[in-house]
Amino acid sequence: LEANFSVIRHEDGPITGLITVLHDVTEQEKIAQERREFVANVSHELRTPLTTLKSYMEALEDGALHDQELAPRFLGVAQTETERMIRLVNDLLQLSKMDRDDVRLNKHHYNLIAWLHEVLDRFEMMVKDKNIEFVRKLPTYPVRIEIDRDKMTQVIDNIISNAIKYSPDGGTITVGTDLHEDGATIFVKDEGMGIPRENQHKIFQRFYRVDKARARNLGGTGLGLAIAKEMVEAHGGTIGVSSELRQGTMITIQLPYTSIYEESRWEE
Ligand code: ADP
């Protein structure tokens, strides 16, 4: 607690009062602490790929450049690390926009089911060479929902990418919906490594990873789910996780319906 005192007196006259202002500094201190941690995290996340880049470039300079086998491999690493830094900076810019309350949602009415089919068709094309099967638990009738499609596509892409990243070879990923009176739940379920119970609530925090080295090797920035959470909340929804170690993980996104009486065009 921080206290400021001021005395009340008329010119040089007697003191007639005292004003005490008490500030609860715990909240301020918490914010300052979080900011320091965030800056430390960002610096660390950028330094790691930069150090890697530097050492590979030095190796190229020291002769690997003329090695038919090493040169393309080292350049490949340099490219992967650069791409990850670009992803990281893009994620950071997005978070900074959201921190400034600068998320303008461009919401329209869509058919939730058609949108999910589209997303899954795209992923099925992408994982063709991997041994992963997608199962769709989607109704045959359309479900109308009002979303910013680009932003929600980013959210669902991130969640499905995680499911793929943490799935074993031959794993099944199930994507489906549960429809309630006041909203729709989208779920993405995998048969991957799972997340220990004590870490589950932290996965939506910025830069939190259960296994840092492993997640980094898989190309993650540690910001995907933090961004997803903010996007979903900007839509008035919630995001959650349930997971069993070595059994799999299920991420759920709950989105509210908007008034069905509102007459506006559907966009496919
Ligand atoms: P990352 O870029 O590291 O994937 P995310 O914010 O997307 O960052 O996820 C945070 C962490 O949550 C991951 O590093 C991982 O430890 C854990 N996680 C997310 N999705 C899954 C999943 N489907 N299975 C197991 N762990 C997961």
Side-chain angles (χ1 to χ4, degrees), residues 99-121:
D99 284 346
R100 281 184 279 122
D101 266 339
D102 204 5
V103 248
R104 244 166 257 119
L105 294 182
N106 182 18
K107 292 209 281 186
H108 294 282
H109 290 267
Y110 296 99
N111 174 3
L112 172 69
I113 310 306
W115 169 65
L116 286 173
H117 276 300
E118 248 171 64
V119 169
L120 287 166
D121 288 347

PDB file of all heavy atoms in Angstrom, residues 99-121:
ATOM      1  N   ASP A  99      -3.884  -5.516 -27.157  1.00  0.00           N
ATOM      2  CA  ASP A  99      -3.655  -4.814 -25.893  1.00  0.00           C
ATOM      3  C   ASP A  99      -4.124  -3.371 -25.974  1.00  0.00           C
ATOM      4  O   ASP A  99      -4.508  -2.776 -24.982  1.00  0.00           O
ATOM      5  CB  ASP A  99      -2.163  -4.835 -25.537  1.00  0.00           C
ATOM      6  CG  ASP A  99      -1.742  -6.195 -25.014  1.00  0.00           C
ATOM      7  OD1 ASP A  99      -2.642  -7.003 -24.693  1.00  0.00           O
ATOM      8  OD2 ASP A  99      -0.534  -6.461 -24.938  1.00  0.00           O
ATOM      9  N   ARG A 100      -4.053  -2.812 -27.170  1.00  0.00           N
ATOM     10  CA  ARG A 100      -4.520  -1.435 -27.330  1.00  0.00           C
ATOM     11  C   ARG A 100      -6.014  -1.389 -27.603  1.00  0.00           C
ATOM     12  O   ARG A 100      -6.547  -0.373 -28.040  1.00  0.00           O
ATOM     13  CB  ARG A 100      -3.754  -0.760 -28.477  1.00  0.00           C
ATOM     14  CG  ARG A 100      -2.365  -0.294 -28.046  1.00  0.00           C
ATOM     15  CD  ARG A 100      -1.679   0.444 -29.157  1.00  0.00           C
ATOM     16  NE  ARG A 100      -1.077  -0.475 -30.106  1.00  0.00           N
ATOM     17  CZ  ARG A 100      -1.352  -0.513 -31.420  1.00  0.00           C
ATOM     18  NH1 ARG A 100      -2.226   0.322 -31.933  1.00  0.00           N
ATOM     19  NH2 ARG A 100      -0.753  -1.362 -32.211  1.00  0.00           N
ATOM     20  N   ASP A 101      -6.685  -2.526 -27.419  1.00  0.00           N
ATOM     21  CA  ASP A 101      -8.124  -2.617 -27.667  1.00  0.00           C
ATOM     22  C   ASP A 101      -8.452  -2.272 -29.103  1.00  0.00           C
ATOM     23  O   ASP A 101      -9.440  -1.626 -29.387  1.00  0.00           O
ATOM     24  CB  ASP A 101      -8.880  -1.658 -26.746  1.00  0.00           C
ATOM     25  CG  ASP A 101      -9.314  -2.391 -25.499  1.00  0.00           C
ATOM     26  OD1 ASP A 101      -9.379  -3.628 -25.556  1.00  0.00           O
ATOM     27  OD2 ASP A 101      -9.567  -1.714 -24.491  1.00  0.00           O
ATOM     28  N   ASP A 102      -7.548  -2.704 -29.963  1.00  0.00           N
ATOM     29  CA  ASP A 102      -7.648  -2.315 -31.346  1.00  0.00           C
ATOM     30  C   ASP A 102      -8.182  -3.463 -32.208  1.00  0.00           C
ATOM     31  O   ASP A 102      -7.896  -3.545 -33.379  1.00  0.00           O
ATOM     32  CB  ASP A 102      -6.234  -1.907 -31.812  1.00  0.00           C
ATOM     33  CG  ASP A 102      -6.269  -0.970 -32.994  1.00  0.00           C
ATOM     34  OD1 ASP A 102      -7.384  -0.572 -33.372  1.00  0.00           O
ATOM     35  OD2 ASP A 102      -5.191  -0.663 -33.530  1.00  0.00           O
ATOM     36  N   VAL A 103      -8.918  -4.400 -31.571  1.00  0.00           N
ATOM     37  CA  VAL A 103      -9.467  -5.490 -32.378  1.00  0.00           C
ATOM     38  C   VAL A 103     -10.818  -5.070 -32.901  1.00  0.00           C
ATOM     39  O   VAL A 103     -11.793  -5.048 -32.149  1.00  0.00           O
ATOM     40  CB  VAL A 103      -9.681  -6.817 -31.603  1.00  0.00           C
ATOM     41  CG1 VAL A 103      -8.753  -7.889 -32.067  1.00  0.00           C
ATOM     42  CG2 VAL A 103      -9.635  -6.619 -30.107  1.00  0.00           C
ATOM     43  N   ARG A 104     -10.846  -4.733 -34.138  1.00  0.00           N
ATOM     44  CA  ARG A 104     -12.133  -4.432 -34.744  1.00  0.00           C
ATOM     45  C   ARG A 104     -12.622  -5.697 -35.426  1.00  0.00           C
ATOM     46  O   ARG A 104     -11.961  -6.216 -36.312  1.00  0.00           O
ATOM     47  CB  ARG A 104     -11.987  -3.273 -35.740  1.00  0.00           C
ATOM     48  CG  ARG A 104     -12.800  -2.077 -35.269  1.00  0.00           C
ATOM     49  CD  ARG A 104     -12.447  -0.801 -35.986  1.00  0.00           C
ATOM     50  NE  ARG A 104     -11.617   0.056 -35.152  1.00  0.00           N
ATOM     51  CZ  ARG A 104     -10.387   0.442 -35.475  1.00  0.00           C
ATOM     52  NH1 ARG A 104      -9.839   0.056 -36.604  1.00  0.00           N
ATOM     53  NH2 ARG A 104      -9.699   1.226 -34.670  1.00  0.00           N
ATOM     54  N   LEU A 105     -13.736  -6.206 -34.945  1.00  0.00           N
ATOM     55  CA  LEU A 105     -14.236  -7.431 -35.556  1.00  0.00           C
ATOM     56  C   LEU A 105     -15.096  -7.065 -36.760  1.00  0.00           C
ATOM     57  O   LEU A 105     -15.916  -6.162 -36.701  1.00  0.00           O
ATOM     58  CB  LEU A 105     -15.067  -8.229 -34.543  1.00  0.00           C
ATOM     59  CG  LEU A 105     -14.306  -8.801 -33.345  1.00  0.00           C
ATOM     60  CD1 LEU A 105     -15.249  -9.599 -32.473  1.00  0.00           C
ATOM     61  CD2 LEU A 105     -13.140  -9.670 -33.790  1.00  0.00           C
ATOM     62  N   ASN A 106     -14.844  -7.800 -37.820  1.00  0.00           N
ATOM     63  CA  ASN A 106     -15.610  -7.586 -39.035  1.00  0.00           C
ATOM     64  C   ASN A 106     -16.597  -8.757 -39.130  1.00  0.00           C
ATOM     65  O   ASN A 106     -16.360  -9.730 -39.837  1.00  0.00           O
ATOM     66  CB  ASN A 106     -14.607  -7.563 -40.191  1.00  0.00           C
ATOM     67  CG  ASN A 106     -15.274  -7.306 -41.510  1.00  0.00           C
ATOM     68  OD1 ASN A 106     -16.417  -6.825 -41.560  1.00  0.00           O
ATOM     69  ND2 ASN A 106     -14.578  -7.634 -42.586  1.00  0.00           N
ATOM     70  N   LYS A 107     -17.691  -8.652 -38.329  1.00  0.00           N
ATOM     71  CA  LYS A 107     -18.573  -9.809 -38.177  1.00  0.00           C
ATOM     72  C   LYS A 107     -19.665  -9.873 -39.244  1.00  0.00           C
ATOM     73  O   LYS A 107     -20.261  -8.866 -39.594  1.00  0.00           O
ATOM     74  CB  LYS A 107     -19.228  -9.790 -36.784  1.00  0.00           C
ATOM     75  CG  LYS A 107     -18.234 -10.031 -35.665  1.00  0.00           C
ATOM     76  CD  LYS A 107     -18.864 -10.695 -34.470  1.00  0.00           C
ATOM     77  CE  LYS A 107     -19.641  -9.720 -33.623  1.00  0.00           C
ATOM     78  NZ  LYS A 107     -20.121 -10.382 -32.386  1.00  0.00           N
ATOM     79  N   HIS A 108     -19.892 -11.081 -39.717  1.00  0.00           N
ATOM     80  CA  HIS A 108     -20.999 -11.343 -40.635  1.00  0.00           C
ATOM     81  C   HIS A 108     -21.606 -12.687 -40.263  1.00  0.00           C
ATOM     82  O   HIS A 108     -20.999 -13.449 -39.521  1.00  0.00           O
ATOM     83  CB  HIS A 108     -20.497 -11.411 -42.082  1.00  0.00           C
ATOM     84  CG  HIS A 108     -19.983 -10.109 -42.575  1.00  0.00           C
ATOM     85  ND1 HIS A 108     -20.812  -9.096 -42.982  1.00  0.00           N
ATOM     86  CD2 HIS A 108     -18.721  -9.649 -42.708  1.00  0.00           C
ATOM     87  CE1 HIS A 108     -20.076  -8.055 -43.349  1.00  0.00           C
ATOM     88  NE2 HIS A 108     -18.802  -8.355 -43.182  1.00  0.00           N
ATOM     89  N   HIS A 109     -22.773 -12.955 -40.839  1.00  0.00           N
ATOM     90  CA  HIS A 109     -23.410 -14.248 -40.580  1.00  0.00           C
ATOM     91  C   HIS A 109     -22.876 -15.292 -41.548  1.00  0.00           C
ATOM     92  O   HIS A 109     -22.785 -15.037 -42.737  1.00  0.00           O
ATOM     93  CB  HIS A 109     -24.920 -14.131 -40.746  1.00  0.00           C
ATOM     94  CG  HIS A 109     -25.529 -13.323 -39.653  1.00  0.00           C
ATOM     95  ND1 HIS A 109     -26.035 -13.882 -38.515  1.00  0.00           N
ATOM     96  CD2 HIS A 109     -25.663 -11.994 -39.512  1.00  0.00           C
ATOM     97  CE1 HIS A 109     -26.468 -12.927 -37.720  1.00  0.00           C
ATOM     98  NE2 HIS A 109     -26.259 -11.774 -38.300  1.00  0.00           N
ATOM     99  N   TYR A 110     -22.514 -16.441 -40.983  1.00  0.00           N
ATOM    100  CA  TYR A 110     -22.013 -17.533 -41.810  1.00  0.00           C
ATOM    101  C   TYR A 110     -22.671 -18.821 -41.372  1.00  0.00           C
ATOM    102  O   TYR A 110     -23.197 -18.919 -40.261  1.00  0.00           O
ATOM    103  CB  TYR A 110     -20.499 -17.698 -41.631  1.00  0.00           C
ATOM    104  CG  TYR A 110     -19.702 -16.511 -42.095  1.00  0.00           C
ATOM    105  CD1 TYR A 110     -19.245 -15.580 -41.175  1.00  0.00           C
ATOM    106  CD2 TYR A 110     -19.420 -16.331 -43.447  1.00  0.00           C
ATOM    107  CE1 TYR A 110     -18.516 -14.477 -41.599  1.00  0.00           C
ATOM    108  CE2 TYR A 110     -18.695 -15.235 -43.873  1.00  0.00           C
ATOM    109  CZ  TYR A 110     -18.241 -14.314 -42.957  1.00  0.00           C
ATOM    110  OH  TYR A 110     -17.534 -13.228 -43.369  1.00  0.00           O
ATOM    111  N   ASN A 111     -22.541 -19.814 -42.240  1.00  0.00           N
ATOM    112  CA  ASN A 111     -22.944 -21.157 -41.853  1.00  0.00           C
ATOM    113  C   ASN A 111     -21.722 -21.816 -41.202  1.00  0.00           C
ATOM    114  O   ASN A 111     -20.744 -22.144 -41.879  1.00  0.00           O
ATOM    115  CB  ASN A 111     -23.410 -21.917 -43.095  1.00  0.00           C
ATOM    116  CG  ASN A 111     -23.699 -23.378 -42.789  1.00  0.00           C
ATOM    117  OD1 ASN A 111     -23.606 -23.820 -41.635  1.00  0.00           O
ATOM    118  ND2 ASN A 111     -24.029 -24.121 -43.819  1.00  0.00           N
ATOM    119  N   LEU A 112     -21.819 -21.995 -39.898  1.00  0.00           N
ATOM    120  CA  LEU A 112     -20.719 -22.549 -39.107  1.00  0.00           C
ATOM    121  C   LEU A 112     -20.227 -23.884 -39.675  1.00  0.00           C
ATOM    122  O   LEU A 112     -19.028 -24.157 -39.717  1.00  0.00           O
ATOM    123  CB  LEU A 112     -21.210 -22.735 -37.661  1.00  0.00           C
ATOM    124  CG  LEU A 112     -20.309 -23.477 -36.684  1.00  0.00           C
ATOM    125  CD1 LEU A 112     -19.076 -22.678 -36.360  1.00  0.00           C
ATOM    126  CD2 LEU A 112     -21.070 -23.787 -35.389  1.00  0.00           C
ATOM    127  N   ILE A 113     -21.184 -24.700 -40.107  1.00  0.00           N
ATOM    128  CA  ILE A 113     -20.840 -26.054 -40.549  1.00  0.00           C
ATOM    129  C   ILE A 113     -20.059 -26.015 -41.869  1.00  0.00           C
ATOM    130  O   ILE A 113     -19.036 -26.686 -42.018  1.00  0.00           O
ATOM    131  CB  ILE A 113     -22.123 -26.920 -40.690  1.00  0.00           C
ATOM    132  CG1 ILE A 113     -22.975 -26.813 -39.409  1.00  0.00           C
ATOM    133  CG2 ILE A 113     -21.782 -28.368 -41.019  1.00  0.00           C
ATOM    134  CD1 ILE A 113     -22.248 -27.134 -38.110  1.00  0.00           C
ATOM    135  N   ALA A 114     -20.533 -25.176 -42.799  1.00  0.00           N
ATOM    136  CA  ALA A 114     -19.840 -25.062 -44.096  1.00  0.00           C
ATOM    137  C   ALA A 114     -18.429 -24.520 -43.876  1.00  0.00           C
ATOM    138  O   ALA A 114     -17.467 -24.988 -44.500  1.00  0.00           O
ATOM    139  CB  ALA A 114     -20.631 -24.143 -45.021  1.00  0.00           C
ATOM    140  N   TRP A 115     -18.331 -23.564 -42.969  1.00  0.00           N
ATOM    141  CA  TRP A 115     -17.015 -22.981 -42.676  1.00  0.00           C
ATOM    142  C   TRP A 115     -16.059 -24.051 -42.124  1.00  0.00           C
ATOM    143  O   TRP A 115     -14.916 -24.168 -42.561  1.00  0.00           O
ATOM    144  CB  TRP A 115     -17.197 -21.817 -41.687  1.00  0.00           C
ATOM    145  CG  TRP A 115     -15.917 -21.292 -41.105  1.00  0.00           C
ATOM    146  CD1 TRP A 115     -14.902 -20.674 -41.777  1.00  0.00           C
ATOM    147  CD2 TRP A 115     -15.529 -21.332 -39.730  1.00  0.00           C
ATOM    148  NE1 TRP A 115     -13.903 -20.333 -40.904  1.00  0.00           N
ATOM    149  CE2 TRP A 115     -14.259 -20.726 -39.642  1.00  0.00           C
ATOM    150  CE3 TRP A 115     -16.133 -21.822 -38.560  1.00  0.00           C
ATOM    151  CZ2 TRP A 115     -13.581 -20.597 -38.435  1.00  0.00           C
ATOM    152  CZ3 TRP A 115     -15.463 -21.695 -37.361  1.00  0.00           C
ATOM    153  CH2 TRP A 115     -14.207 -21.088 -37.292  1.00  0.00           C
ATOM    154  N   LEU A 116     -16.539 -24.873 -41.188  1.00  0.00           N
ATOM    155  CA  LEU A 116     -15.680 -25.914 -40.616  1.00  0.00           C
ATOM    156  C   LEU A 116     -15.278 -26.948 -41.666  1.00  0.00           C
ATOM    157  O   LEU A 116     -14.136 -27.409 -41.692  1.00  0.00           O
ATOM    158  CB  LEU A 116     -16.376 -26.592 -39.425  1.00  0.00           C
ATOM    159  CG  LEU A 116     -16.422 -25.751 -38.143  1.00  0.00           C
ATOM    160  CD1 LEU A 116     -17.283 -26.432 -37.084  1.00  0.00           C
ATOM    161  CD2 LEU A 116     -15.014 -25.502 -37.585  1.00  0.00           C
ATOM    162  N   HIS A 117     -16.226 -27.301 -42.559  1.00  0.00           N
ATOM    163  CA  HIS A 117     -15.886 -28.242 -43.643  1.00  0.00           C
ATOM    164  C   HIS A 117     -14.761 -27.674 -44.505  1.00  0.00           C
ATOM    165  O   HIS A 117     -13.824 -28.374 -44.862  1.00  0.00           O
ATOM    166  CB  HIS A 117     -17.112 -28.539 -44.513  1.00  0.00           C
ATOM    167  CG  HIS A 117     -17.996 -29.618 -43.945  1.00  0.00           C
ATOM    168  ND1 HIS A 117     -17.535 -30.899 -43.719  1.00  0.00           N
ATOM    169  CD2 HIS A 117     -19.301 -29.616 -43.574  1.00  0.00           C
ATOM    170  CE1 HIS A 117     -18.532 -31.632 -43.223  1.00  0.00           C
ATOM    171  NE2 HIS A 117     -19.612 -30.871 -43.111  1.00  0.00           N
ATOM    172  N   GLU A 118     -14.866 -26.376 -44.802  1.00  0.00           N
ATOM    173  CA  GLU A 118     -13.849 -25.718 -45.627  1.00  0.00           C
ATOM    174  C   GLU A 118     -12.476 -25.804 -44.968  1.00  0.00           C
ATOM    175  O   GLU A 118     -11.482 -26.139 -45.609  1.00  0.00           O
ATOM    176  CB  GLU A 118     -14.187 -24.225 -45.738  1.00  0.00           C
ATOM    177  CG  GLU A 118     -14.594 -23.755 -47.102  1.00  0.00           C
ATOM    178  CD  GLU A 118     -15.097 -22.323 -47.007  1.00  0.00           C
ATOM    179  OE1 GLU A 118     -14.293 -21.433 -46.655  1.00  0.00           O
ATOM    180  OE2 GLU A 118     -16.298 -22.096 -47.261  1.00  0.00           O
ATOM    181  N   VAL A 119     -12.457 -25.467 -43.669  1.00  0.00           N
ATOM    182  CA  VAL A 119     -11.192 -25.498 -42.920  1.00  0.00           C
ATOM    183  C   VAL A 119     -10.613 -26.914 -42.944  1.00  0.00           C
ATOM    184  O   VAL A 119      -9.427 -27.119 -43.203  1.00  0.00           O
ATOM    185  CB  VAL A 119     -11.422 -25.034 -41.455  1.00  0.00           C
ATOM    186  CG1 VAL A 119     -10.197 -25.299 -40.594  1.00  0.00           C
ATOM    187  CG2 VAL A 119     -11.794 -23.554 -41.416  1.00  0.00           C
ATOM    188  N   LEU A 120     -11.479 -27.906 -42.708  1.00  0.00           N
ATOM    189  CA  LEU A 120     -10.994 -29.292 -42.638  1.00  0.00           C
ATOM    190  C   LEU A 120     -10.551 -29.810 -44.002  1.00  0.00           C
ATOM    191  O   LEU A 120      -9.579 -30.564 -44.087  1.00  0.00           O
ATOM    192  CB  LEU A 120     -12.079 -30.183 -42.034  1.00  0.00           C
ATOM    193  CG  LEU A 120     -12.235 -29.954 -40.521  1.00  0.00           C
ATOM    194  CD1 LEU A 120     -13.525 -30.566 -40.002  1.00  0.00           C
ATOM    195  CD2 LEU A 120     -11.040 -30.528 -39.775  1.00  0.00           C
ATOM    196  N   ASP A 121     -11.229 -29.387 -45.076  1.00  0.00           N
ATOM    197  CA  ASP A 121     -10.796 -29.790 -46.427  1.00  0.00           C
ATOM    198  C   ASP A 121      -9.370 -29.311 -46.653  1.00  0.00           C
ATOM    199  O   ASP A 121      -8.525 -30.034 -47.169  1.00  0.00           O
ATOM    200  CB  ASP A 121     -11.699 -29.157 -47.508  1.00  0.00           C
ATOM    201  CG  ASP A 121     -13.083 -29.794 -47.531  1.00  0.00           C
ATOM    202  OD1 ASP A 121     -13.252 -30.862 -46.905  1.00  0.00           O
ATOM    203  OD2 ASP A 121     -14.000 -29.214 -48.155  1.00  0.00           O
TER     204      ASP A 121
END
